[in-house]
Amino acid sequence: QLRPVESGGGLVQPGGSLTLSCTASWSLDYHTIGWFRQAPGKEREGVSCITSTNGGTNYAESVKGRFTISRDNRKNTVYLQMDNLKPEDTGVYYCAADYMPVGLHPLSAANEYTSWGLGTQVTVSS
């Protein structure tokens, strides 16, 4: 099964920044991409998603104004720029892809995505 690969996680102090990357070994031209996270003891939650053409994005209320999703289809990569990080942003971050030339899945629709990465750990702590 083909999986995208996440990278860029790490340990950062509150108020700091990280940029996560999600890279696929196949073309993502017609795929919508979502970022999800799961903290210990909590359910997985949708963080952000982006259309295949980079024309539309969606963010969870908890990250609006702090996180920015973007993509470079030439590199088959989607990025999640995370600024002003908070301890509650700690968790394993996953990216997921789904063939969807137009539109977005709701952030709650994780089950619509067909290809999932194995995740990258983000820890926000002083």
Side-chain angles (χ1 to χ4, degrees):
Q1 180 183 0
L2 293 177
R3 296 182 182 273
V5 178
E6 304 93 339
S7 61
L11 173 64
V12 63
Q13 292 186 344
S17 298
L18 284 174
T19 300
L20 304 184
S21 298
C22 171
T23 302
S25 58
W26 67 96
S27 172
L28 292 179
D29 283 359
Y30 298 105
H31 290 71
T32 184
I33 305 297
W35 281 99
F36 299 82
R37 67 186 181 189
Q38 187 165 20
K42 294 188 177 181
E43 293 187 355
R44 179 178 57 191
E45 63 172 336
V47 175
S48 183
C49 54
I50 188 167
T51 62
S52 62
T53 58
N54 207 25
T57 58
N58 197 11
Y59 297 92
E61 287 296 324
S62 59
V63 306
K64 278 184 179 178
R66 302 187 297 120
F67 290 12
T68 304
I69 191 171
S70 63
R71 66 191 296 159
D72 184 344
N73 283 352
R74 298 167 301 174
K75 297 181 178 180
N76 297 326
T77 298
V78 173
Y79 305 97
L80 186 68
Q81 173 69 40
M82 306 187 296
D83 298 317
N84 190 22
L85 283 160
K86 303 176 180 180
E88 51 263 43
D89 295 317
T90 294
V92 179
Y93 282 69
Y94 301 90
C95 71
D98 186 50
Y99 182 83
M100 191 175 188
V102 178
L104 286 171
H105 295 307
L107 286 175
S108 60
N111 290 339
E112 296 291 337
Y113 290 85
T114 55
S115 299
W116 286 79
L118 297 179
T120 186
Q121 176 71 44
V122 172
T123 303
V124 185
S125 175
S126 55

